[in-house]
Structures are given as C-alpha cells and as structure tokens.
Amino acid sequence: MFFQRITKCDAPSVAAVALVDEYVIGLSSSHLIPGKKNSLIRFEQIKSLKKCFPCGMAFVMAGDFNMRKSEDKPVEERLGLVDAWKAGESRQNHMYTWNSFSNQYHGPEAFKFRCRFDRIFINRGSITSRPPNPTMAKVDFKLVANKPLIMREGGKCYKFHLSDHYGILSTVHLSQDNDVTNSLRMAVN
C-alpha cells in the first residue's frame, strides 16, 4: 500500500492519497467549525478540503463536520458529494451521531437533543487509472461505539461512553460490470 500525506490543505483536516490494491483514492479526516451560525464557514471548509485532492480523483471525506440537516443539500448538489448514510439504507437507528438522550458522556443533567453532526462523504471520481473504472455498487453505513462500556468494580456497575459522539463506519462496495470487486472501508470516531 502506498500512502502520501497532502500538506497543502486549508481545511481543519488531515488528508492523504493512498494506493489500496489497484485503487488510488484520497482520504481525509476532519473536525469542522461548530455552531449553527457557522454553516457558511463549514461549506467553505468542505469546498477547500475537496480542492486538496487532484481533479478527478475519487476520495472519501469523514469526520465531525458539525453539520445540520439544512446544510446537506448545498454540499451534495453544489459540491457533488454523496452522503454515505443516505447512499446506504438510511436507517433511522443509525442516524444520530450525537444523542444525549442515550449517551451520558456529559452527565445525566446535560441538555437533551439528537443530531447527525458526523458525516462520511464520497465523490464519484475515477478510482483507478486503468479502465474499466469501478463504480459504487453499494454503500453500507452504521453507527459504532454507540453502546456504553460497562465496568464492574467493588460490586458496583459503571456505564460510560468514550466520546460525546458515536462513531460511524461505512463500507463502499465497488463494482465492475455489475460484479462486486472490492470494498473500501472508512471509520470515524
């Protein structure tokens, strides 16, 4: 496997180009600016991140994008990105990456709400330089680390989460001529 870090990127992200089997793909992990009022800044950060990858290259961007539902359409339509949760089965029980009803990371007295702050985006660029280029056949998406860890000590049982966000895992199944050839997996927490 070949791996090269991209150093010229103006987004709060780590980005790289990797060769996995015969596939050349860009990968990134991000933590974008928080806050409802910062949606335009987040859009510009995602746009900047997309420019980090060579034109036409397939890439996967993942991380804490701090996005709200209202921000999906501009990112998907204007930047041409595919939301892995939507491309998958969009299961409601795997939707919320922030859920303070079930995740007690900040304590039981914390403000209760749910949101899908974290995303995995995929573009439809060229995955390999050799024809025929595989296409995205299927996308699986699920929450991970969304159950509390249990620790028993001195006859007591403690439950806790490792983060205030649940992790997300996506597997992109690639196809050539309707035959699934390989899978690329991206996980974020």
Side-chain angles (χ1 to χ4, degrees), residues 72-130:
D72 287 352
K73 192 172 183 177
V75 168
E76 293 165 6
E77 291 180 1
R78 291 176 52 201
L79 298 180
L81 300 177
V82 177
D83 183 329
W85 180 75
K86 292 179 183 178
E89 296 174 351
S90 302
R91 295 179 300 184
Q92 295 300 307
N93 62 332
H94 289 263
M95 180 178 188
Y96 300 111
T97 61
W98 176 286
N99 185 343
S100 55
F101 291 99
S102 61
N103 185 336
Q104 300 295 306
Y105 183 82
H106 291 290
E109 66 285 342
F111 178 71
K112 304 290 185 211
F113 75 104
R114 288 186 291 248
C115 196
R116 193 168 72 92
F117 288 138
D118 305 86
R119 302 286 198 281
I120 296 177
F121 287 115
I122 306 156
N123 83 329
R124 296 178 189 260
S126 176
I127 294 173
T128 179
S129 58
R130 294 192 307 266

Side-chain angles (χ1 to χ4, degrees), residues 168-182:
I168 51 180
L169 172 67
S170 187
T171 304
V172 180
H173 303 274
L174 305 175
S175 169
Q176 287 181 340
D177 302 324
N178 297 323
D179 210 12
V180 175
T181 58
N182 211 335

Side-chain angles (χ1 to χ4, degrees), residues 17-45:
V17 174
L19 176 63
V20 181
D21 296 327
E22 75 267 21
Y23 303 113
V24 176
I25 188 162
L27 305 169
S28 71
S29 178
S30 303
H31 190 187
L32 304 186
I33 190 168
K36 192 174 188 176
K37 68 182 185 314
N38 291 318
S39 62
L40 293 176
I41 295 171
R42 276 192 294 279
F43 181 83
E44 290 301 318
Q45 288 176 325

Side-chain angles (χ1 to χ4, degrees), residues 157-168:
C157 181
Y158 302 94
K159 293 182 180 182
F160 59 96
H161 287 87
L162 295 177
S163 173
D164 52 356
H165 292 249
Y166 295 143
I168 51 180

